[in-house]
Amino acid sequence: QVQLQQSGPGLVKPSQTLSLTCAISGDSVSSNNVAWNWIRQSPSRGLEWLGRTYYRSKWYNDYAVFVKSRITINPDTSKNQFSLQLNSMTPEDTAVYYCARDPGAFDIWGQGTMVTVSS
Amino acid sequence: DIQMTQSPSSLSTSVGDRVTITCRASQSISNYLNWYQQKPGKAPKLLIYGASSLKSGVPSRFSGSGSGTDFTLTISSLQPEDSATYYCQQNYNTPLTFGGGTKVEIK
């Protein structure tokens, strides 16, 4: 069955860059009928969709406006995974970060990574 | 952006009761509405997609209905394991957005 395994640090200093990776098993990052997403959750802001990458004969990305200036989501076909980079982190970015597969709904989720932004 | 508004924000009810959670979109989203269940410390779990299609393996006591702007998640007979927070989510267009959640507690 499809599984997503997240990796990356749980503590980031203010102004630094968050880098998370989501490794895919049981599916392909290059699948042409799904999208690969990053979502975060905090008590103050709830569930927030951050962005996605997907392949439809070429690669596409969509990003939420509120992070568009500092987010990058990249596929890595050689390792069958995708990544999140979020620059200029602030304490307001403290949240649980999830990766998720979307063939029309978020049907498979990673285990979540609690990211704390603190010096 | 499409705003998703859920009600109530929380409820407390007894095992065996019928539970109804509503979700309203700020504009028409056809049937591009999904429902999730989340338990503490876990990722959300997909229950219903396309407003009314039950995901394989999800108990049949869960059902969804609605189209356009108004949607409903119903639990026909609440079980102890249904204690959780429930979220709606639209995938009509980006940014994909979630409702604020409904916390269901067992009396």
Side-chain angles (χ1 to χ4, degrees), chain A residues 37 39 41 47-49 52 62 98 102 104-107 109-110, chain B residues 34 36 38 42-44 46 49 55 87 89 91 94-96 98:
Chain A
N37 297 257
I39 296 158
Q41 185 175 31
L47 284 160
E48 293 184 298
W49 175 79
R52 65 187 180 186
D62 295 313
Y98 294 102
D102 176 11
F106 300 120
D107 68 338
W109 294 67
Chain B
N34 307 311
Y36 302 86
Q38 187 178 32
K42 300 292 187 181
L46 178 65
Y49 61 94
K55 186 187 176 190
Y87 296 93
Q89 175 250 329
N91 66 327
T94 57
L96 307 180
F98 292 85

Side-chain angles (χ1 to χ4, degrees), chain A residues 16-36:
Chain A
Q16 291 193 339
T17 296
L18 170 66
S19 294
L20 296 176
T21 299
C22 184
I24 303 163
S25 57
D27 200 347
S28 170
V29 72
S30 303
S31 174
N32 61 9
N33 59 1
V34 302
W36 303 97

